[in-house]
PDB file of all heavy atoms in Angstrom:
ATOM      1  N   VAL A   1     -49.419 -53.762 -33.031  1.00 96.00           N
ATOM      2  CA  VAL A   1     -50.151 -52.830 -32.140  1.00 96.00           C
ATOM      3  C   VAL A   1     -50.377 -53.538 -30.791  1.00 96.00           C
ATOM      4  O   VAL A   1     -50.201 -52.908 -29.738  1.00 96.00           O
ATOM      5  CB  VAL A   1     -51.492 -52.396 -32.763  1.00 96.00           C
ATOM      6  CG1 VAL A   1     -52.354 -51.689 -31.770  1.00 96.00           C
ATOM      7  CG2 VAL A   1     -51.214 -51.521 -33.980  1.00 96.00           C
ATOM      8  N   ASN A   2     -50.765 -54.789 -30.785  1.00 97.00           N
ATOM      9  CA  ASN A   2     -50.959 -55.491 -29.508  1.00 97.00           C
ATOM     10  C   ASN A   2     -49.689 -55.597 -28.716  1.00 97.00           C
ATOM     11  O   ASN A   2     -49.696 -55.414 -27.457  1.00 97.00           O
ATOM     12  CB  ASN A   2     -51.554 -56.883 -29.762  1.00 97.00           C
ATOM     13  CG  ASN A   2     -53.011 -56.841 -30.151  1.00 97.00           C
ATOM     14  OD1 ASN A   2     -53.720 -55.871 -29.855  1.00 97.00           O
ATOM     15  ND2 ASN A   2     -53.479 -57.855 -30.813  1.00 97.00           N
ATOM     16  N   GLU A   3     -48.574 -55.863 -29.365  1.00 96.00           N
ATOM     17  CA  GLU A   3     -47.280 -55.927 -28.674  1.00 96.00           C
ATOM     18  C   GLU A   3     -46.911 -54.559 -28.136  1.00 96.00           C
ATOM     19  O   GLU A   3     -46.358 -54.467 -27.008  1.00 96.00           O
ATOM     20  CB  GLU A   3     -46.185 -56.442 -29.616  1.00 96.00           C
ATOM     21  CG  GLU A   3     -44.805 -56.562 -28.933  1.00 96.00           C
ATOM     22  CD  GLU A   3     -44.761 -57.502 -27.734  1.00 96.00           C
ATOM     23  OE1 GLU A   3     -45.554 -58.457 -27.674  1.00 96.00           O
ATOM     24  OE2 GLU A   3     -43.930 -57.248 -26.849  1.00 96.00           O
ATOM     25  N   ALA A   4     -47.192 -53.504 -28.864  1.00 96.00           N
ATOM     26  CA  ALA A   4     -46.889 -52.158 -28.405  1.00 96.00           C
ATOM     27  C   ALA A   4     -47.677 -51.830 -27.118  1.00 96.00           C
ATOM     28  O   ALA A   4     -47.101 -51.314 -26.137  1.00 96.00           O
ATOM     29  CB  ALA A   4     -47.196 -51.141 -29.510  1.00 96.00           C
ATOM     30  N   ILE A   5     -48.947 -52.106 -27.136  1.00 97.00           N
ATOM     31  CA  ILE A   5     -49.767 -51.858 -25.945  1.00 97.00           C
ATOM     32  C   ILE A   5     -49.292 -52.693 -24.771  1.00 97.00           C
ATOM     33  O   ILE A   5     -49.167 -52.184 -23.641  1.00 97.00           O
ATOM     34  CB  ILE A   5     -51.251 -52.168 -26.266  1.00 97.00           C
ATOM     35  CG1 ILE A   5     -51.814 -51.148 -27.269  1.00 97.00           C
ATOM     36  CG2 ILE A   5     -52.109 -52.160 -24.974  1.00 97.00           C
ATOM     37  CD1 ILE A   5     -53.173 -51.484 -27.839  1.00 97.00           C
ATOM     38  N   LYS A   6     -48.969 -53.953 -24.993  1.00 97.00           N
ATOM     39  CA  LYS A   6     -48.486 -54.830 -23.946  1.00 97.00           C
ATOM     40  C   LYS A   6     -47.177 -54.274 -23.342  1.00 97.00           C
ATOM     41  O   LYS A   6     -47.012 -54.272 -22.131  1.00 97.00           O
ATOM     42  CB  LYS A   6     -48.247 -56.226 -24.531  1.00 97.00           C
ATOM     43  CG  LYS A   6     -47.767 -57.247 -23.545  1.00 97.00           C
ATOM     44  CD  LYS A   6     -47.604 -58.611 -24.212  1.00 97.00           C
ATOM     45  CE  LYS A   6     -46.955 -59.610 -23.299  1.00 97.00           C
ATOM     46  NZ  LYS A   6     -46.672 -60.874 -23.996  1.00 97.00           N
ATOM     47  N   ARG A   7     -46.275 -53.820 -24.198  1.00 96.00           N
ATOM     48  CA  ARG A   7     -45.009 -53.288 -23.720  1.00 96.00           C
ATOM     49  C   ARG A   7     -45.200 -52.072 -22.819  1.00 96.00           C
ATOM     50  O   ARG A   7     -44.591 -51.941 -21.765  1.00 96.00           O
ATOM     51  CB  ARG A   7     -44.115 -52.910 -24.886  1.00 96.00           C
ATOM     52  CG  ARG A   7     -42.807 -52.238 -24.566  1.00 96.00           C
ATOM     53  CD  ARG A   7     -41.592 -53.119 -24.497  1.00 96.00           C
ATOM     54  NE  ARG A   7     -41.427 -54.023 -25.588  1.00 96.00           N
ATOM     55  CZ  ARG A   7     -40.760 -53.743 -26.703  1.00 96.00           C
ATOM     56  NH1 ARG A   7     -40.187 -52.571 -26.848  1.00 96.00           N
ATOM     57  NH2 ARG A   7     -40.647 -54.642 -27.659  1.00 96.00           N
ATOM     58  N   VAL A   8     -46.123 -51.162 -23.207  1.00 96.00           N
ATOM     59  CA  VAL A   8     -46.391 -49.978 -22.401  1.00 96.00           C
ATOM     60  C   VAL A   8     -46.985 -50.411 -21.048  1.00 96.00           C
ATOM     61  O   VAL A   8     -46.513 -49.933 -19.978  1.00 96.00           O
ATOM     62  CB  VAL A   8     -47.357 -49.031 -23.116  1.00 96.00           C
ATOM     63  CG1 VAL A   8     -47.831 -47.912 -22.186  1.00 96.00           C
ATOM     64  CG2 VAL A   8     -46.694 -48.413 -24.343  1.00 96.00           C
ATOM     65  N   GLU A   9     -47.924 -51.325 -21.062  1.00 95.00           N
ATOM     66  CA  GLU A   9     -48.563 -51.754 -19.807  1.00 95.00           C
ATOM     67  C   GLU A   9     -47.546 -52.432 -18.895  1.00 95.00           C
ATOM     68  O   GLU A   9     -47.550 -52.211 -17.691  1.00 95.00           O
ATOM     69  CB  GLU A   9     -49.743 -52.671 -20.106  1.00 95.00           C
ATOM     70  CG  GLU A   9     -50.936 -51.938 -20.690  1.00 95.00           C
ATOM     71  CD  GLU A   9     -52.082 -52.824 -21.115  1.00 95.00           C
ATOM     72  OE1 GLU A   9     -51.930 -54.063 -21.160  1.00 95.00           O
ATOM     73  OE2 GLU A   9     -53.149 -52.259 -21.369  1.00 95.00           O
ATOM     74  N   GLU A  10     -46.715 -53.307 -19.417  1.00 95.00           N
ATOM     75  CA  GLU A  10     -45.706 -54.000 -18.621  1.00 95.00           C
ATOM     76  C   GLU A  10     -44.719 -53.034 -18.032  1.00 95.00           C
ATOM     77  O   GLU A  10     -44.330 -53.156 -16.867  1.00 95.00           O
ATOM     78  CB  GLU A  10     -45.012 -55.062 -19.465  1.00 95.00           C
ATOM     79  CG  GLU A  10     -45.862 -56.275 -19.762  1.00 95.00           C
ATOM     80  CD  GLU A  10     -45.194 -57.289 -20.682  1.00 95.00           C
ATOM     81  OE1 GLU A  10     -44.113 -56.965 -21.269  1.00 95.00           O
ATOM     82  OE2 GLU A  10     -45.762 -58.367 -20.852  1.00 95.00           O
ATOM     83  N   THR A  11     -44.267 -52.078 -18.846  1.00 95.00           N
ATOM     84  CA  THR A  11     -43.297 -51.080 -18.337  1.00 95.00           C
ATOM     85  C   THR A  11     -43.928 -50.248 -17.257  1.00 95.00           C
ATOM     86  O   THR A  11     -43.322 -50.032 -16.202  1.00 95.00           O
ATOM     87  CB  THR A  11     -42.821 -50.161 -19.496  1.00 95.00           C
ATOM     88  OG1 THR A  11     -42.216 -50.991 -20.513  1.00 95.00           O
ATOM     89  CG2 THR A  11     -41.821 -49.113 -18.995  1.00 95.00           C
ATOM     90  N   ASN A  12     -45.162 -49.776 -17.450  1.00 93.00           N
ATOM     91  CA  ASN A  12     -45.823 -48.974 -16.441  1.00 93.00           C
ATOM     92  C   ASN A  12     -45.988 -49.753 -15.145  1.00 93.00           C
ATOM     93  O   ASN A  12     -45.746 -49.234 -14.058  1.00 93.00           O
ATOM     94  CB  ASN A  12     -47.212 -48.533 -16.940  1.00 93.00           C
ATOM     95  CG  ASN A  12     -47.132 -47.436 -17.989  1.00 93.00           C
ATOM     96  OD1 ASN A  12     -46.064 -46.922 -18.284  1.00 93.00           O
ATOM     97  ND2 ASN A  12     -48.260 -47.096 -18.567  1.00 93.00           N
ATOM     98  N   SER A  13     -46.388 -50.990 -15.237  1.00 92.00           N
ATOM     99  CA  SER A  13     -46.604 -51.831 -14.070  1.00 92.00           C
ATOM    100  C   SER A  13     -45.284 -52.046 -13.316  1.00 92.00           C
ATOM    101  O   SER A  13     -45.217 -51.880 -12.084  1.00 92.00           O
ATOM    102  CB  SER A  13     -47.188 -53.190 -14.474  1.00 92.00           C
ATOM    103  OG  SER A  13     -47.344 -54.018 -13.366  1.00 92.00           O
ATOM    104  N   THR A  14     -44.216 -52.377 -14.051  1.00 93.00           N
ATOM    105  CA  THR A  14     -42.931 -52.582 -13.426  1.00 93.00           C
ATOM    106  C   THR A  14     -42.410 -51.334 -12.737  1.00 93.00           C
ATOM    107  O   THR A  14     -41.918 -51.403 -11.589  1.00 93.00           O
ATOM    108  CB  THR A  14     -41.880 -53.054 -14.477  1.00 93.00           C
ATOM    109  OG1 THR A  14     -42.354 -54.260 -15.065  1.00 93.00           O
ATOM    110  CG2 THR A  14     -40.528 -53.273 -13.884  1.00 93.00           C
ATOM    111  N   GLU A  15     -42.543 -50.200 -13.379  1.00 91.00           N
ATOM    112  CA  GLU A  15     -42.054 -48.939 -12.802  1.00 91.00           C
ATOM    113  C   GLU A  15     -42.864 -48.524 -11.569  1.00 91.00           C
ATOM    114  O   GLU A  15     -42.292 -48.038 -10.586  1.00 91.00           O
ATOM    115  CB  GLU A  15     -42.067 -47.822 -13.839  1.00 91.00           C
ATOM    116  CG  GLU A  15     -41.073 -48.003 -14.978  1.00 91.00           C
ATOM    117  CD  GLU A  15     -39.633 -47.950 -14.508  1.00 91.00           C
ATOM    118  OE1 GLU A  15     -39.275 -47.070 -13.665  1.00 91.00           O
ATOM    119  OE2 GLU A  15     -38.851 -48.785 -14.971  1.00 91.00           O
ATOM    120  N   MET A  16     -44.175 -48.746 -11.588  1.00 89.00           N
ATOM    121  CA  MET A  16     -44.984 -48.404 -10.428  1.00 89.00           C
ATOM    122  C   MET A  16     -44.723 -49.338  -9.251  1.00 89.00           C
ATOM    123  O   MET A  16     -44.743 -48.918  -8.113  1.00 89.00           O
ATOM    124  CB  MET A  16     -46.459 -48.445 -10.799  1.00 89.00           C
ATOM    125  CG  MET A  16     -46.891 -47.267 -11.618  1.00 89.00           C
ATOM    126  SD  MET A  16     -46.590 -45.687 -10.794  1.00 89.00           S
ATOM    127  CE  MET A  16     -47.167 -44.567 -12.016  1.00 89.00           C
ATOM    128  N   GLU A  17     -44.442 -50.597  -9.563  1.00 90.00           N
ATOM    129  CA  GLU A  17     -44.130 -51.559  -8.470  1.00 90.00           C
ATOM    130  C   GLU A  17     -42.849 -51.171  -7.761  1.00 90.00           C
ATOM    131  O   GLU A  17     -42.701 -51.468  -6.559  1.00 90.00           O
ATOM    132  CB  GLU A  17     -44.031 -52.999  -9.028  1.00 90.00           C
ATOM    133  CG  GLU A  17     -45.370 -53.608  -9.297  1.00 90.00           C
ATOM    134  CD  GLU A  17     -45.288 -54.992  -9.858  1.00 90.00           C
ATOM    135  OE1 GLU A  17     -44.157 -55.557  -9.944  1.00 90.00           O
ATOM    136  OE2 GLU A  17     -46.349 -55.562 -10.244  1.00 90.00           O
ATOM    137  N   LYS A  18     -41.931 -50.501  -8.433  1.00 89.00           N
ATOM    138  CA  LYS A  18     -40.715 -50.035  -7.798  1.00 89.00           C
ATOM    139  C   LYS A  18     -41.041 -49.019  -6.711  1.00 89.00           C
ATOM    140  O   LYS A  18     -40.348 -48.904  -5.708  1.00 89.00           O
ATOM    141  CB  LYS A  18     -39.759 -49.427  -8.808  1.00 89.00           C
ATOM    142  CG  LYS A  18     -39.117 -50.414  -9.775  1.00 89.00           C
ATOM    143  CD  LYS A  18     -38.256 -49.708 -10.752  1.00 89.00           C
ATOM    144  CE  LYS A  18     -37.692 -50.670 -11.775  1.00 89.00           C
ATOM    145  NZ  LYS A  18     -36.896 -49.955 -12.817  1.00 89.00           N
ATOM    146  N   ILE A  19     -42.117 -48.253  -6.903  1.00 85.00           N
ATOM    147  CA  ILE A  19     -42.528 -47.225  -5.941  1.00 85.00           C
ATOM    148  C   ILE A  19     -43.356 -47.856  -4.823  1.00 85.00           C
ATOM    149  O   ILE A  19     -43.156 -47.582  -3.660  1.00 85.00           O
ATOM    150  CB  ILE A  19     -43.279 -46.076  -6.622  1.00 85.00           C
ATOM    151  CG1 ILE A  19     -42.364 -45.336  -7.591  1.00 85.00           C
ATOM    152  CG2 ILE A  19     -43.869 -45.127  -5.580  1.00 85.00           C
ATOM    153  CD1 ILE A  19     -43.057 -44.345  -8.484  1.00 85.00           C
ATOM    154  N   THR A  20     -44.323 -48.676  -5.195  1.00 83.00           N
ATOM    155  CA  THR A  20     -45.300 -49.200  -4.247  1.00 83.00           C
ATOM    156  C   THR A  20     -44.815 -50.473  -3.573  1.00 83.00           C
ATOM    157  O   THR A  20     -45.408 -50.900  -2.563  1.00 83.00           O
ATOM    158  CB  THR A  20     -46.647 -49.483  -4.921  1.00 83.00           C
ATOM    159  OG1 THR A  20     -46.472 -50.529  -5.885  1.00 83.00           O
ATOM    160  CG2 THR A  20     -47.196 -48.256  -5.546  1.00 83.00           C
ATOM    161  N   GLY A  21     -43.792 -51.113  -4.105  1.00 82.00           N
ATOM    162  CA  GLY A  21     -43.341 -52.391  -3.573  1.00 82.00           C
ATOM    163  C   GLY A  21     -44.389 -53.463  -3.708  1.00 82.00           C
ATOM    164  O   GLY A  21     -44.615 -54.265  -2.828  1.00 82.00           O
ATOM    165  N   SER A  22     -45.150 -53.436  -4.784  1.00 63.00           N
ATOM    166  CA  SER A  22     -46.222 -54.407  -5.118  1.00 63.00           C
ATOM    167  C   SER A  22     -47.422 -54.267  -4.222  1.00 63.00           C
ATOM    168  O   SER A  22     -48.287 -55.100  -4.227  1.00 63.00           O
ATOM    169  CB  SER A  22     -45.689 -55.839  -5.045  1.00 63.00           C
ATOM    170  OG  SER A  22     -44.624 -56.030  -5.935  1.00 63.00           O
ATOM    171  N   MET A  23     -47.462 -53.193  -3.436  1.00 65.00           N
ATOM    172  CA  MET A  23     -48.620 -52.971  -2.562  1.00 65.00           C
ATOM    173  C   MET A  23     -49.815 -52.542  -3.405  1.00 65.00           C
ATOM    174  O   MET A  23     -49.689 -51.686  -4.284  1.00 65.00           O
ATOM    175  CB  MET A  23     -48.278 -51.863  -1.531  1.00 65.00           C
ATOM    176  CG  MET A  23     -49.400 -51.497  -0.637  1.00 65.00           C
ATOM    177  SD  MET A  23     -48.986 -50.268   0.621  1.00 65.00           S
ATOM    178  CE  MET A  23     -47.585 -49.397  -0.012  1.00 65.00           C
ATOM    179  N   SER A  24     -50.949 -53.134  -3.169  1.00 59.00           N
ATOM    180  CA  SER A  24     -52.149 -52.799  -3.890  1.00 59.00           C
ATOM    181  C   SER A  24     -53.185 -52.202  -2.960  1.00 59.00           C
ATOM    182  O   SER A  24     -53.617 -52.850  -2.012  1.00 59.00           O
ATOM    183  CB  SER A  24     -52.726 -54.050  -4.576  1.00 59.00           C
ATOM    184  OG  SER A  24     -53.909 -53.688  -5.234  1.00 59.00           O
ATOM    185  N   MET A  25     -53.530 -50.944  -3.205  1.00 53.00           N
ATOM    186  CA  MET A  25     -54.564 -50.284  -2.392  1.00 53.00           C
ATOM    187  C   MET A  25     -55.546 -49.608  -3.390  1.00 53.00           C
ATOM    188  O   MET A  25     -55.446 -48.406  -3.593  1.00 53.00           O
ATOM    189  CB  MET A  25     -53.949 -49.257  -1.480  1.00 53.00           C
ATOM    190  CG  MET A  25     -53.057 -49.834  -0.414  1.00 53.00           C
ATOM    191  SD  MET A  25     -52.522 -48.515   0.666  1.00 53.00           S
ATOM    192  CE  MET A  25     -51.416 -49.376   1.702  1.00 53.00           C
ATOM    193  N   PRO A  26     -56.487 -50.371  -3.901  1.00 57.00           N
ATOM    194  CA  PRO A  26     -57.429 -49.760  -4.836  1.00 57.00           C
ATOM    195  C   PRO A  26     -58.143 -48.566  -4.232  1.00 57.00           C
ATOM    196  O   PRO A  26     -58.562 -48.601  -3.085  1.00 57.00           O
ATOM    197  CB  PRO A  26     -58.402 -50.909  -5.146  1.00 57.00           C
ATOM    198  CG  PRO A  26     -57.671 -52.147  -4.741  1.00 57.00           C
ATOM    199  CD  PRO A  26     -56.733 -51.776  -3.682  1.00 57.00           C
ATOM    200  N   GLY A  27     -58.232 -47.529  -4.989  1.00 53.00           N
ATOM    201  CA  GLY A  27     -58.940 -46.322  -4.541  1.00 53.00           C
ATOM    202  C   GLY A  27     -58.068 -45.337  -3.812  1.00 53.00           C
ATOM    203  O   GLY A  27     -58.394 -44.185  -3.701  1.00 53.00           O
TER     204      GLY A  27
END
């Protein structure tokens, strides 16, 4: 279960970084 959650989070993060270019703008 922990590995499953980790995989989802890593995939989501990687895919979003493709759009934002690692830019972080909280809010």
Side-chain angles (χ1 to χ4, degrees):
V1 169
N2 286 337
E3 180 60 30
I5 292 168
K6 181 179 173 186
R7 174 97 48 91
V8 171
E9 289 175 348
E10 287 175 351
T11 301
N12 287 354
S13 178
T14 300
E15 292 295 319
M16 286 301 180
E17 283 179 7
K18 290 178 184 177
I19 295 171
T20 64
S22 302
M23 177 177 22
S24 177
M25 293 185 185

